[in-house]
Structures are given as C-alpha cells and as structure tokens.
Amino acid sequence: QSSNDKLSIQTGPDTWYNNYPIFSSGKRQSPIDIGTEYVDYDSSLSPIKINYKPEKHLHIVNTGLSVRADIKETSEISGGPLEGKYRLEQFHFHWGSNSNKGSEHTLNGYTYASELHLVHWNKGKYSSFAEAADKSDGLAVLGFFIKEGHEHKELRKLTDGIQRIFDKDALTKIPDKFDPKHILPSDLSNYWTYDGSLTTPPFYESVQWIVFADMIEMSPEQLNLLRCMRSCSCEGKYIIDNYRCPLPLGERKLRSSFR
Ligand code: SG4
Ligand code: ZN
C-alpha cells in the first residue's frame, strides 16, 4: 500500500466518524434514506422558486473530494420550506465507482449513480456563506438524483471541462455561457424536505435539505469522466465513492410537497 493510498483511506468517508466523534451522535445528520412510508405530505409546501443567472465563465475545481463549480452571479432561490432568499454559492457532485451506487440520499433503500448538490446560504439573515455555514438556518441544499441514461447537454460543457482538471487542485473555466437553471429538470414541484447537515467534515447541522423527485440523467461517458478525476496529483488514486452513507432520521420530520 502506498502512502497515497493510506492518506486517502485515512481521510475518506470510512474514517470520518472516528475523527468527528460529536457527530456520530448528532441528531440532524445527512444524508438519510428517504423511506416513503415515513413521509408526511404537507400541502403548505409551495414549489421552489429558482432565480438563477447564467455564468459567463463558470469556474470549476477538483477539490480532491469532488468537482465544485463556484458561482459568481447573484443566483437565488426562495419558496417551499424556506423563509426569505437563499443565494447559490456552489454546486458539486457525489458519485460511485460504478452506476449502481454514488448517491448520498437513497430512496426506499435504492441508490442512484450520482447526486447533484446546489449549496445556498441564507442572505436575509447572514452576510456571507462562511457566516451562514454553521447556523441552524444558514444553508439550503437542493439535491437531485442522477441516473445513467441520456447525455445531459448543459452538463456536457462541464464534463468537457473536467478533462482539464483530472489532478487535485486543478481548476479551469468553461468557455461557453453556463446556465445552472438548465441543469435542473423542468418540474420542481415534487420534493422531500428535512433538517440535516453537511455530508462532509465539519458536518455542520445547518442544512435545510430539499431533494427532488424528478431526476437528471447523464450518459455513461459523462459519469466515467467524473470517475477519471484524481484525489491527488499522482497516478492511480481516483475520486470514486465520495458519498456518505445514510444516517437515522430519528425524531425528525420528513415532509413532501406531493402525495
Ligand atoms: C463537497 O465536498 C463540496 O466540494 C464541498 O464544498 C462541500 O462543503 C461538501 O461537499 C459538503 O456539502 O452539500 N454534500 S454537502 O453537504 O459546502 C460545503 C467545498 O469544498 C461546506 C466548499
Ligand atoms: Zn454534497
């Protein structure tokens, strides 16, 4: 075993419980299994309003744990379970070593090939992402399950860019205009929502999770490009299976906007 293997094993999802003991007993940790038999329909949950602007040159970075796209424009969401406006900070993906796994949330125990997370912060109450990140009402993350299927046209711009950032800490700009709204399915009225946390260290219990019933598709080729990203600037260590496993719902409520 090389030292790089060890580093990855010591810092990957398998050891996060040991290194962050407070949160192994946390009461609002994420992800969870969305067990539809535990869901409460809430007729007061309106559709999520998306007010996203196209990015002139989307910046994407290989963080060593994922690919992250950083948002420069003032793109916002409101509605649903949210009070006031939440501003889009970044989006990123989780994925598996093959398409039978990769999502963080599961649906009645079923895992999908990947999951997209769009991370927003409460701009009505806080003045920056950093200030909001550890507050109980600080963040809202939109989650979308991704299935293997058709090529996703808007994400093609991103997956083309990924070929330039296979090494950890590499970053690049997408040459074309990129509209984050075009990543999303057209119907955003059906979703589940619950109080949760970041799914990576430091696991702050600050996230209103909104996971959508309508899914996104990416082609096998697009998913394979994610799997070519490296968790170091060396040969052979790939970013795969960068998902956390579901934690108990506990006393929390899991609500749906639809029957
Ligand atoms: C990914 O590792 C992102 O790249 C992180 O973003 C993100 O951390 C982390 O996932 C956890 O986010 O929606 N899955 S999640 O709970 O958003 C944060 C950064 O590297 C703080 C900043
Ligand atoms: Zn995530």
Side-chain angles (χ1 to χ4, degrees):
Q1 203 176 55
S2 74
S3 58
N4 284 319
D5 283 338
K6 280 225 190 71
L7 183 69
S8 163
I9 289 162
Q10 281 165 12
T11 56
D14 293 349
T15 63
W16 288 344
Y17 291 116
N18 309 335
N19 297 333
Y20 293 82
I22 305 161
F23 292 114
S24 36
S25 58
K27 295 219 180 322
R28 56 173 284 192
Q29 287 292 296
S30 293
I32 59 164
D33 175 48
I34 298 169
T36 47
E37 61 182 299
Y38 304 112
V39 171
D40 287 318
Y41 167 61
D42 183 344
S43 61
S44 72
L45 287 171
S46 58
I48 307 298
K49 279 198 217 100
I50 304 276
N51 191 2
Y52 287 171
K53 292 194 189 122
E55 296 282 317
K56 273 185 216 79
H57 301 290
L58 186 71
H59 289 59
I60 59 172
V61 56
N62 175 339
T63 67
L65 279 179
S66 185
V67 52
R68 190 184 73 221
D70 291 313
I71 299 299
K72 306 265 190 275
E73 300 293 332
T74 308
S75 285
E76 295 167 353
I77 57 169
S78 60
L82 305 175
E83 269 190 47
K85 290 179 177 167
Y86 282 67
R87 180 168 169 177
L88 181 58
E89 175 77 10
Q90 50 108 330
F91 65 86
H92 63 266
F93 298 81
H94 302 263
W95 60 88
S97 47
N98 64 62
S99 293
N100 298 323
K101 53 186 177 170
S103 66
E104 299 210 293
H105 290 91
T106 58
L107 188 53
N108 295 320
Y110 192 88
T111 60
Y112 292 87
S114 175
E115 191 170 325
L116 163 66
H117 290 157
L118 298 115
V119 182
H120 307 72
W121 55 275
N122 186 340
K123 66 176 273 187
K125 240 176 132 174
Y126 306 107
S127 55
S128 69
F129 171 77
E131 194 200 344
D134 62 349
K135 308 301 187 295
S136 64
D137 58 357
L139 304 181
V141 181
L142 304 187
F144 292 90
F145 292 117
I146 302 179
K147 290 193 279 201
E148 185 175 284
H150 294 294
E151 181 182 79
H152 190 302
K153 287 279 169 324
E154 193 71 9
L155 284 180
R156 172 78 194 265
K157 297 176 192 169
L158 185 133
T159 47
D160 282 351
I162 280 177
Q163 319 202 27
R164 299 191 294 276
I165 57 162
F166 282 159
D167 282 347
K168 180 177 190 284
D169 299 326
L171 42 102
T172 191
K173 279 191 247 178
I174 306 286
D176 307 312
K177 200 160 84 169
F178 186 96
D179 195 335
K181 194 169 58 235
H182 291 165
I183 316 177
L184 312 184
S186 50
D187 187 357
L188 299 175
S189 51
N190 298 339
Y191 59 83
W192 300 278
T193 186
Y194 74 97
D195 296 340
S197 73
L198 296 177
T199 66
T200 64
F203 301 118
Y204 293 140
E205 297 190 321
S206 57
V207 180
Q208 185 68 45
W209 276 95
I210 301 170
V211 180
F212 289 84
D214 277 41
M215 299 181 189
I216 296 174
E217 288 186 17
M218 282 170 80
S219 67
E221 293 76 16
Q222 289 183 305
L223 289 163
N224 275 333
L225 282 168
L226 292 173
R227 298 177 188 125
C228 289
M229 294 178 61
R230 288 184 285 263
S231 56
C232 56
S233 39
C234 56
E235 290 300 305
K237 262 318 237 180
Y238 296 104
I239 305 174
I240 44 166
D241 301 328
N242 57 350
Y243 57 87
R244 191 187 194 192
C245 290
L247 290 135
L249 181 64
E251 302 293 297
R252 288 177 287 181
K253 264 215 165 127
L254 174 58
R255 294 181 291 157
S256 70
S257 65
F258 64 105
R259 272 187 222 279

Coordinates of all heavy atoms in Angstrom, one line a residue, residues 92 94 104 117 199 209, ligand 2:
H92 N -21.9 20.8 -6.7 CA -20.9 19.7 -6.8 C -21.6 18.4 -6.9 O -22.9 18.4 -6.8 CB -20.0 19.7 -5.5 CG -20.7 19.5 -4.2 ND1 -21.2 20.5 -3.4 CD2 -21.1 18.3 -3.7 CE1 -21.8 20.0 -2.4 NE2 -21.8 18.7 -2.5
H94 N -21.6 13.9 -6.1 CA -21.1 12.7 -5.5 C -21.4 11.6 -6.5 O -22.4 11.6 -7.2 CB -21.9 12.5 -4.2 CG -21.8 13.6 -3.2 ND1 -20.8 13.7 -2.2 CD2 -22.4 14.8 -3.1 CE1 -21.0 14.8 -1.5 NE2 -21.9 15.5 -2.1
E104 N -25.9 10.0 -2.3 CA -25.8 10.1 -0.8 C -27.2 9.8 -0.2 O -27.3 8.9 0.6 CB -25.4 11.5 -0.4 CG -24.0 11.8 -0.9 CD -23.2 12.8 0.0 OE1 -23.7 13.9 0.2 OE2 -22.2 12.3 0.6
H117 N -25.6 18.4 -5.8 CA -25.9 19.3 -4.7 C -25.7 20.8 -5.1 O -24.6 21.1 -5.4 CB -25.1 18.9 -3.5 CG -25.5 17.6 -2.9 ND1 -24.6 16.9 -2.1 CD2 -26.7 16.9 -2.9 CE1 -25.2 15.8 -1.7 NE2 -26.5 15.8 -2.2
T199 N -22.6 16.8 4.5 CA -22.3 15.4 4.5 C -20.8 15.1 4.5 O -20.4 14.0 4.3 CB -22.9 14.7 3.2 OG1 -22.3 15.3 2.1 CG2 -24.4 15.0 3.1
W209 N -32.5 20.5 3.8 CA -32.3 19.7 2.6 C -33.6 19.6 1.8 O -34.7 19.5 2.4 CB -31.9 18.2 3.0 CG -30.5 18.1 3.2 CD1 -29.8 18.2 4.3 CD2 -29.5 18.0 2.1 NE1 -28.4 18.1 4.1 CE2 -28.2 17.9 2.8 CE3 -29.5 17.8 0.7 CZ2 -27.0 17.8 2.0 CZ3 -28.4 17.7 0.0 CH2 -27.1 17.7 0.7
Ligands
ZN2 ZN -22.7 17.2 -1.5

